[in-house]
Amino acid sequence: MPKNSWLSRTFTYYVTAIGRTCGSKSLFRTSMTSVHRTREVLLFGLSANPPTGTTGHMGVVKHCRALYDEIWLVPVFQHVYSTKRELAPFEHRVEMCRLALETLKREQEDGAKLKVVKEEREMFEHVAATRKYIGCIDELRLGSVDLVLYLLGKYQDTNFTMLLGGDTYADLLAGKWNRGEELMQLVKFLVVDRKGVESPWRTEEQPRQSANVRYIHIPELNDVSSTRVRATADRDELAAYLDPAVLDYIVQHQLYAFAAASK
């Protein structure tokens, strides 16, 4: 590994930082010489409330399959901010992600391996057990940097890249993320244009590419949002936003607007 490479610097930081998630610097401690990371994984963290189709979440996954060995959908277990915690049950959101990915796998066999993972929930459970936490697990406050530290310790053969929308990345650059500078030393980023959002890198001051950040534009995406999906029980409208299997699942389990319609 080149001494001054981005990956070398990341490992140097990683060796000193890993374990903070669990309150112990030695829990996942490892040496640079013992780690050889060969797998490239894109982390797509999302609320999945619900996951949208090929003009939204699944369109991003489809576009990125040629860029990585694997793409992991990581449904949020709980948001750091209490104002964003009105989510469908975790297992429902995991299953909707699985259904959407199955459709992509059938339509496109080549490219990155796709899977939905429960790593965020497992991290919460792991931290609670390590700290001998006796309160409700939902009261723990853990964020993206905690998840990345957890994954780096658990999967020592893997380089992780985080997928972010342009607006979210702008917040990271502006210092609005908890421990954002720490996070930027641990992983690379793939930043996707989002329709209707001014991209922060479209200026002369912000370079288009850098050593650990890559920017992409996906023409197939539109301004579909999970918020819009949750607000309607019109199946014809929803058919334009969702994978058919996901739509059927929402109706079957009376989620979102269908819960109100069933009363």
Side-chain angles (χ1 to χ4, degrees):
M1 181 185 302
K3 184 176 181 181
N4 294 320
S5 70
W6 175 86
L7 194 55
S8 176
R9 295 196 303 273
T10 298
F11 278 141
T12 301
Y13 182 85
Y14 163 69
V15 169
T16 60
I18 200 70
R20 290 179 189 169
T21 295
C22 302
S24 169
K25 287 189 177 181
S26 63
L27 187 60
F28 291 125
R29 195 177 182 91
T30 185
S31 68
M32 288 176 60
T33 56
S34 66
V35 176
H36 181 53
R37 296 180 183 269
T38 58
R39 180 174 59 166
E40 296 290 337
V41 171
L42 180 66
L43 295 175
F44 189 175
L46 69 170
S47 297
N49 194 41
T52 53
T54 53
T55 59
H57 296 127
M58 293 306 112
V60 175
V61 174
K62 184 176 181 179
H63 183 90
C64 293
R65 288 194 75 179
L67 305 178
Y68 297 91
D69 297 320
E70 298 184 15
I71 299 176
W72 295 3
L73 264 61
V74 190
V76 168
F77 178 60
Q78 72 167 16
H79 273 291
V80 172
Y81 302 109
S82 58
T83 55
K84 296 185 178 181
R85 291 183 182 172
E86 294 299 322
L87 301 171
F90 181 71
E91 292 299 338
H92 279 318
R93 292 182 287 116
V94 168
E95 180 61 14
M96 287 188 285
C97 285
R98 188 194 68 78
L99 291 169
L101 289 186
E102 286 301 316
T103 298
L104 286 186
K105 291 175 185 178
R106 289 193 299 270
E107 294 177 349
Q108 183 184 29
E109 295 182 359
D110 297 333
K113 180 180 179 181
L114 306 177
K115 62 181 180 179
V116 54
V117 298
K118 302 179 183 180
E119 297 292 346
E120 184 164 313
R121 185 179 71 179
E122 292 173 7
M123 174 191 67
F124 271 82
E125 293 170 345
H126 181 81
V127 171
T130 303
R131 293 179 180 174
K132 298 181 180 179
Y133 187 73
I134 60 175
C136 177
I137 193 172
D138 292 344
E139 296 174 358
L140 285 171
R141 296 293 181 266
L142 301 172
S144 296
V145 68
D146 299 300
L147 178 62
V148 167
L149 286 168
Y150 175 73
L151 293 174
L152 286 171
K154 185 175 180 180
Y155 300 100
Q156 296 188 16
D157 65 337
T158 303
N159 293 315
F160 290 105
T161 297
M162 286 189 69
L163 176 71
L164 296 179
D167 51 343
T168 307
Y169 184 63
D171 288 343
L172 179 64
L173 292 178
K176 296 181 181 180
W177 283 44
N178 182 36
R179 295 161 64 192
E181 290 187 4
E182 184 178 353
L183 180 65
M184 287 189 280
Q185 295 185 60
L186 292 171
V187 292
K188 295 183 180 182
F189 296 92
L190 181 69
V191 182
V192 181
D193 280 340
R194 182 174 174 183
K195 187 173 182 178
V197 176
E198 184 65 25
S199 299
W201 54 86
R202 289 179 178 168
T203 66
E204 293 182 0
E205 292 78 16
Q206 182 67 34
R208 184 68 187 174
Q209 306 289 347
S210 64
N212 64 336
V213 182
R214 179 175 183 175
Y215 307 97
I216 61 172
H217 174 70
I218 305 176
E220 295 80 9
L221 302 186
N222 60 27
D223 60 352
V224 61
S225 70
S226 295
T227 301
R228 182 186 302 175
V229 169
R230 294 193 299 271
T232 181
D234 184 330
R235 294 197 60 161
D236 290 335
E237 181 180 359
L238 289 171
Y241 302 148
L242 299 172
D243 178 88
V246 172
L247 175 54
D248 288 343
Y249 186 91
I250 290 172
V251 174
Q252 178 186 352
H253 293 275
Q254 298 182 349
L255 301 177
Y256 311 123
F258 291 95
S262 66
K263 294 180 180 179

